[in-house]
Amino acid sequence: MQPTTTPVLKDIVLVGAGHAHVGVLRMFGMKPIPGLRLTLITREVNTPYSGMLPGMIAGSYTAEEAHIDTGPLAVFAGARLYHDEATGVDLDAKRVLCRNRPPVPYDLLSLDIGSTPSHGDAAGVEAHAIPVKPIDGFLQRFEAARQRVLAARGKAVIAVVGAGAGGVELMLALHKRLTEEVARAKLDPSTLSFRLIASHAELLPAFPKRMRQHVAETLRKRGVEIVAGQRVVECAPGGLKLASGRRVSANEVFWTTQAMPPAWLRESGLALDERGFIRVAGTLQSVSHPDVFAAGDVASMDYAPRPKSGVFAVRQGAPLAKNLRRRIAARPLAIYRAQRDAMYLLSTADGRAVGTRNGIVFEGSWVWRWKDAIDRRFMEKFNNLPEMRPAAPKAPFGIADGDALKEISAMAMRCGGCGAKVGATVLSAALRAIVPSERDDVVVGLDAPDDAAIVDTGGPELSVHTVDYFRAIVDDPYLFGKIAANHALGDIYAMGGAPQSALAIVTVPYGREAKVEADLAMMMTGANEVLREANCALVGGHTSEGAELALGFSVNGRVARDKALRKGGLTPGDALILTKPIGTGSLLAAHMRGKAKSRWTMGAIGHMMRSNRDAASVLLAHGVHAATDVTGFGLIGHLVEMMRPSNVDAVLALSAIPVLEGLKETLAMGIFSSLQPQNVRLRRAIVNLDEAGRNPLFPALFDPQTAGGLLASVPVASAKACVAALQSAGYADAAVIGEVLPRSASLASITIDLEDVSQRDDVNGKRPTKLGKLNAAGEEQNANEPVS
Ligand SMILES: Cc1cc2nc3c(=O)[nH]c(=O)nc-3n(C[C@H](O)[C@H](O)[C@H](O)COP(=O)(O)OP(=O)(O)OC[C@H]3O[C@@H](n4cnc5c(N)ncnc54)[C@H](O)[C@@H]3O)c2cc1C
């Protein structure tokens, strides 16, 4: 979450991370406008660059090379990234309707959502063909087709319907890739057949004659059959029916015909052209709604029609950014003068390319090298963004103290979520002198702290109380609401309880009433969805203004008198089970700095939204002796909290501990949560610190978690079944990560087993069988453990 001191005055919402919008984001990142908030709604967080797409199919580029990661780009632009799909737009209320979240309000809206290939009047396309757009779906279906071709031992007919630039390049790329793959599988590639079906009499009707001839000749040389001047009217399993009545066989059909607009635009109320694309003026504004802009394939420039091509979409980025800026500032807009002729470079998938500009055609390996250099340079601009630097801190009262400046700067980058927690040591020191009123009905209080407090209110059940509150960790209030609610419920589940009611504590940054209301509504909708699912009634709360968006809950729950799960029940011989992977602290810190891949951030968010409810039930069903939820103090901190009252030692197998994707990379970059240094103080409990400390994964043990999983002590006899049950309940990464040992000295100590345990045949294939020797004692930890 990017800290901001300026209230939000205007919202620009960008829908689709198309070629123009990625340029817009970059430009706003280079020159932000105070008070302006950008939001990107995108169906795919990794957006494909069309220039490299055929090369990726051909195997010349990796998926990573051919995609722009919108996560770091959004961070760079200071934009909120909503991973969602727009399904409509309410032009009167100025809101974008989304598939998976409440409507998103805008002051200005810009649409760069591309196109899909038209089915025309052909039947069966949806069921039996693979459309090249949307690309996310295409890549998955291409992969399935590739597998089928190999399973058929290369005996397959591959057809591409549509012979524009995209279709031709795709055909050549498919030919190269599949021929190579079949040969690599030691099969005969000559059993593969390729067919290109064109409705026009010639391929590439919009291109110069020499280029058409060159491409047709190249296809013939590769053995591709060209079926020209034939419209497909039906696509069925095993083949295609053409308008002439002819049938052609085809096992895999790729569909790349003329572009068609997204269907939902028809209902939007925007002025559309006869094919359904958004009509825009020279300013790239909708001709009917000046607060709506459009660019790329989806825009139809009445005044200067151009082919649907990535080249034009890229070019529109700069004028679109300029006009969005001007419109926000109520300044006159500039007219975009689309180039009449663009240069086209088509790869022939053999280390050569053919190109044309102003009617001139050129071909050769140098053309491919040139195209490759242009495409890589383009991608470099997005995948290698300038370093994010927080604004240079100003010395208070003009004192130029270097250390003070560094400290202020570090504070500015402090993490939200559980990374924003006060460290265990600070907290226990602060609470040391606090003596709460003594009451008989307090079953679990500050004197024997646990995940939640327990109070006896009479009756068969005990009352469980917990509170959690933290600054926003993601720029998406709806998801943040879900994470905050899930995190707060975690303490109740960790006590073996069931939630009953919750009070919300909310801080919203100062801003215009409408903006504050929209954010609050979005955040509380997300939170309430989680609470409702947990059968926990939201019964009230308190809201105030503050510097940053923050949310917390005080949750009440119920637990049967003899069922409360305590931290203090670790039993020697038990297996230690962790239900979710760790790593949210470092990954979210990396996200803040624009250093985390979207895939990593989305993975972490997915785990933070996963409830611990079912995990607690599984653990209870397998005779769990003790449990806690792993949150701000990290795995070691929470384990130590359990070990002290249990009077035991423990061994942890480092290689068995599940970690989130990307954690190894963010640790290697030296990116840690701002709470990490405080958590690391507990390293004193580790016996083999010198040796363990050299392992690159060692810092993960101290990484603060937000909405982390449960750490539990389970009888070894039921550990294997317990892990299997957790995995089938959806905790795919659940694993035995260590073992509880009898106390060997006066102070609790942890041994880190550094052997790679993945090959061992034991409880879950990962559990350590050889226990480390406990020969030295850790230092005494905090005297007064806080309730987390
Ligand atoms: C095989 C093939 C090869 C091609 N090769 C080239 C080439 O070499 N050069 C060239 O210039 N052109 C090429 N093209 C054409 C090019 O792909 C398109 O013209 C170009 O991608 C259009 O860019 P855009 O910005 O309009 O949309 P896109 O690049 O399609 O981006 C649209 C984005 O919006 C997102 N989106 C869509 N709907 C929604 C929604 N409802 N909510 C949220 N997000 C949404 C999508 O996920 C996508 O990320 C090729 C096309 C194909 C099929």
Side-chain angles (χ1 to χ4, degrees), residues 636 640 643 650 681-689 748-751 776-779 781:
I636 291 285
V640 166
M643 287 162 62
R681 289 182 193 164
L682 290 173
R683 69 184 180 281
R684 296 168 302 185
I686 295 170
V687 173
N688 53 341
L689 183 59
S749 61
I750 301 169
T751 302
E779 275 179 51
Q781 299 306 312

mmCIF file of all heavy atoms in Angstrom, residues 636 640 643 650 681-689 748-751 776-779 781:
data_model
loop_
_atom_site.group_PDB
_atom_site.id
_atom_site.type_symbol
_atom_site.label_atom_id
_atom_site.label_comp_id
_atom_site.label_asym_id
_atom_site.label_seq_id
_atom_site.Cartn_x
_atom_site.Cartn_y
_atom_site.Cartn_z
ATOM 1 N N ILE A 636 9.097 -18.778 14.376
ATOM 2 C CA ILE A 636 9.884 -19.018 15.590
ATOM 3 C C ILE A 636 9.229 -18.327 16.784
ATOM 4 O O ILE A 636 9.091 -18.919 17.856
ATOM 5 C CB ILE A 636 11.340 -18.517 15.413
ATOM 6 C CG1 ILE A 636 12.083 -19.390 14.405
ATOM 7 C CG2 ILE A 636 12.076 -18.435 16.751
ATOM 8 C CD1 ILE A 636 12.505 -20.752 14.912
ATOM 9 N N VAL A 640 8.020 -20.347 19.987
ATOM 10 C CA VAL A 640 8.573 -20.062 21.327
ATOM 11 C C VAL A 640 7.440 -19.771 22.303
ATOM 12 O O VAL A 640 7.445 -20.226 23.444
ATOM 13 C CB VAL A 640 9.590 -18.899 21.256
ATOM 14 C CG1 VAL A 640 9.908 -18.358 22.645
ATOM 15 C CG2 VAL A 640 10.856 -19.338 20.546
ATOM 16 N N MET A 643 6.244 -23.080 23.291
ATOM 17 C CA MET A 643 7.197 -23.923 24.003
ATOM 18 C C MET A 643 7.339 -23.535 25.472
ATOM 19 O O MET A 643 7.485 -24.392 26.341
ATOM 20 C CB MET A 643 8.571 -23.855 23.327
ATOM 21 C CG MET A 643 8.630 -24.609 22.011
ATOM 22 S SD MET A 643 10.036 -24.106 21.027
ATOM 23 C CE MET A 643 11.381 -24.575 22.080
ATOM 24 N N ALA A 650 12.097 -28.181 20.779
ATOM 25 C CA ALA A 650 11.532 -28.572 19.481
ATOM 26 C C ALA A 650 12.625 -28.659 18.444
ATOM 27 O O ALA A 650 13.685 -28.026 18.581
ATOM 28 C CB ALA A 650 10.482 -27.555 19.038
ATOM 29 N N ARG A 681 15.243 -11.204 17.056
ATOM 30 C CA ARG A 681 15.823 -11.277 18.406
ATOM 31 C C ARG A 681 15.622 -12.665 19.015
ATOM 32 O O ARG A 681 16.388 -13.099 19.857
ATOM 33 C CB ARG A 681 15.178 -10.233 19.317
ATOM 34 C CG ARG A 681 15.608 -8.834 18.941
ATOM 35 C CD ARG A 681 14.996 -7.834 19.878
ATOM 36 N NE ARG A 681 15.153 -6.501 19.324
ATOM 37 C CZ ARG A 681 14.479 -5.443 19.739
ATOM 38 N NH1 ARG A 681 13.602 -5.556 20.702
ATOM 39 N NH2 ARG A 681 14.682 -4.263 19.193
ATOM 40 N N LEU A 682 14.578 -13.363 18.595
ATOM 41 C CA LEU A 682 14.291 -14.683 19.164
ATOM 42 C C LEU A 682 15.214 -15.770 18.627
ATOM 43 O O LEU A 682 15.083 -16.930 18.978
ATOM 44 C CB LEU A 682 12.828 -15.052 18.896
ATOM 45 C CG LEU A 682 11.829 -14.225 19.705
ATOM 46 C CD1 LEU A 682 10.417 -14.514 19.260
ATOM 47 C CD2 LEU A 682 11.964 -14.514 21.189
ATOM 48 N N ARG A 683 16.156 -15.408 17.775
ATOM 49 C CA ARG A 683 17.107 -16.404 17.276
ATOM 50 C C ARG A 683 17.925 -17.008 18.427
ATOM 51 O O ARG A 683 18.508 -18.055 18.285
ATOM 52 C CB ARG A 683 18.045 -15.805 16.224
ATOM 53 C CG ARG A 683 19.032 -14.789 16.766
ATOM 54 C CD ARG A 683 19.829 -14.187 15.614
ATOM 55 N NE ARG A 683 20.801 -13.201 16.047
ATOM 56 C CZ ARG A 683 20.534 -11.943 16.373
ATOM 57 N NH1 ARG A 683 19.295 -11.497 16.307
ATOM 58 N NH2 ARG A 683 21.494 -11.115 16.751
ATOM 59 N N ARG A 684 17.937 -16.312 19.557
ATOM 60 C CA ARG A 684 18.684 -16.807 20.721
ATOM 61 C C ARG A 684 18.194 -18.171 21.161
ATOM 62 O O ARG A 684 18.900 -18.911 21.822
ATOM 63 C CB ARG A 684 18.529 -15.824 21.883
ATOM 64 C CG ARG A 684 19.146 -14.472 21.583
ATOM 65 C CD ARG A 684 18.717 -13.447 22.605
ATOM 66 N NE ARG A 684 17.263 -13.295 22.669
ATOM 67 C CZ ARG A 684 16.643 -12.398 23.402
ATOM 68 N NH1 ARG A 684 17.321 -11.589 24.171
ATOM 69 N NH2 ARG A 684 15.328 -12.301 23.406
ATOM 70 N N ALA A 685 16.952 -18.500 20.778
ATOM 71 C CA ALA A 685 16.411 -19.800 21.192
ATOM 72 C C ALA A 685 16.963 -20.940 20.337
ATOM 73 O O ALA A 685 16.749 -22.109 20.652
ATOM 74 C CB ALA A 685 14.889 -19.772 21.096
ATOM 75 N N ILE A 686 17.664 -20.587 19.245
ATOM 76 C CA ILE A 686 18.102 -21.640 18.320
ATOM 77 C C ILE A 686 19.476 -22.178 18.713
ATOM 78 O O ILE A 686 20.436 -21.407 18.857
ATOM 79 C CB ILE A 686 18.089 -21.101 16.869
ATOM 80 C CG1 ILE A 686 16.635 -20.803 16.493
ATOM 81 C CG2 ILE A 686 18.702 -22.098 15.907
ATOM 82 C CD1 ILE A 686 16.462 -20.049 15.210
ATOM 83 N N VAL A 687 19.543 -23.475 18.858
ATOM 84 C CA VAL A 687 20.756 -24.126 19.338
ATOM 85 C C VAL A 687 21.884 -24.015 18.320
ATOM 86 O O VAL A 687 22.998 -23.616 18.645
ATOM 87 C CB VAL A 687 20.433 -25.621 19.608
ATOM 88 C CG1 VAL A 687 21.697 -26.386 19.949
ATOM 89 C CG2 VAL A 687 19.416 -25.742 20.722
ATOM 90 N N ASN A 688 21.605 -24.413 17.089
ATOM 91 C CA ASN A 688 22.645 -24.450 16.054
ATOM 92 C C ASN A 688 22.577 -23.200 15.172
ATOM 93 O O ASN A 688 22.509 -23.286 13.948
ATOM 94 C CB ASN A 688 22.525 -25.723 15.210
ATOM 95 C CG ASN A 688 21.118 -25.907 14.644
ATOM 96 O OD1 ASN A 688 20.168 -25.311 15.129
ATOM 97 N ND2 ASN A 688 21.010 -26.710 13.606
ATOM 98 N N LEU A 689 22.553 -22.053 15.827
ATOM 99 C CA LEU A 689 22.349 -20.780 15.146
ATOM 100 C C LEU A 689 23.387 -20.497 14.064
ATOM 101 O O LEU A 689 23.044 -20.069 12.958
ATOM 102 C CB LEU A 689 22.343 -19.653 16.192
ATOM 103 C CG LEU A 689 22.080 -18.254 15.674
ATOM 104 C CD1 LEU A 689 20.736 -18.170 14.986
ATOM 105 C CD2 LEU A 689 22.117 -17.265 16.845
ATOM 106 N N ALA A 748 14.004 -23.143 27.088
ATOM 107 C CA ALA A 748 13.500 -23.777 25.867
ATOM 108 C C ALA A 748 14.455 -23.541 24.702
ATOM 109 O O ALA A 748 15.000 -22.448 24.553
ATOM 110 C CB ALA A 748 12.142 -23.189 25.528
ATOM 111 N N SER A 749 14.669 -24.565 23.889
ATOM 112 C CA SER A 749 15.558 -24.373 22.742
ATOM 113 C C SER A 749 15.017 -25.086 21.508
ATOM 114 O O SER A 749 14.275 -26.064 21.597
ATOM 115 C CB SER A 749 16.961 -24.863 23.072
ATOM 116 O OG SER A 749 16.912 -26.231 23.359
ATOM 117 N N ILE A 750 15.421 -24.555 20.363
ATOM 118 C CA ILE A 750 14.963 -25.094 19.072
ATOM 119 C C ILE A 750 16.196 -25.506 18.285
ATOM 120 O O ILE A 750 17.172 -24.759 18.213
ATOM 121 C CB ILE A 750 14.196 -24.008 18.270
ATOM 122 C CG1 ILE A 750 12.982 -23.511 19.052
ATOM 123 C CG2 ILE A 750 13.772 -24.534 16.902
ATOM 124 C CD1 ILE A 750 12.333 -22.274 18.464
ATOM 125 N N THR A 751 16.130 -26.687 17.684
ATOM 126 C CA THR A 751 17.195 -27.101 16.775
ATOM 127 C C THR A 751 16.646 -27.018 15.355
ATOM 128 O O THR A 751 15.507 -27.426 15.099
ATOM 129 C CB THR A 751 17.617 -28.556 17.061
ATOM 130 O OG1 THR A 751 18.044 -28.613 18.411
ATOM 131 C CG2 THR A 751 18.757 -28.977 16.153
ATOM 132 N N ALA A 776 22.569 -27.199 23.911
ATOM 133 C CA ALA A 776 22.755 -25.877 24.514
ATOM 134 C C ALA A 776 21.393 -25.263 24.754
ATOM 135 O O ALA A 776 20.422 -25.626 24.115
ATOM 136 C CB ALA A 776 23.564 -24.999 23.588
ATOM 137 N N ALA A 777 21.345 -24.375 25.650
ATOM 138 C CA ALA A 777 20.063 -23.776 25.991
ATOM 139 C C ALA A 777 19.899 -22.422 25.331
ATOM 140 O O ALA A 777 20.853 -21.681 25.177
ATOM 141 C CB ALA A 777 19.985 -23.616 27.495
ATOM 142 N N GLY A 778 18.667 -22.119 24.917
ATOM 143 C CA GLY A 778 18.384 -20.781 24.394
ATOM 144 C C GLY A 778 18.244 -19.837 25.557
ATOM 145 O O GLY A 778 18.171 -20.239 26.717
ATOM 146 N N GLU A 779 18.224 -18.566 25.240
ATOM 147 C CA GLU A 779 18.086 -17.582 26.318
ATOM 148 C C GLU A 779 16.630 -17.475 26.741
ATOM 149 O O GLU A 779 15.729 -17.786 25.982
ATOM 150 C CB GLU A 779 18.545 -16.217 25.793
ATOM 151 C CG GLU A 779 20.021 -16.031 25.904
ATOM 152 C CD GLU A 779 20.393 -14.675 25.356
ATOM 153 O OE1 GLU A 779 19.773 -13.691 25.774
ATOM 154 O OE2 GLU A 779 21.284 -14.615 24.513
ATOM 155 N N GLN A 781 13.167 -16.077 27.102
ATOM 156 C CA GLN A 781 12.435 -15.144 26.263
ATOM 157 C C GLN A 781 11.661 -14.156 27.127
ATOM 158 O O GLN A 781 11.867 -14.073 28.331
ATOM 159 C CB GLN A 781 11.521 -15.922 25.322
ATOM 160 C CG GLN A 781 12.293 -16.846 24.397
ATOM 161 C CD GLN A 781 13.366 -16.093 23.637
ATOM 162 O OE1 GLN A 781 13.106 -15.049 23.069
ATOM 163 N NE2 GLN A 781 14.579 -16.596 23.651
#
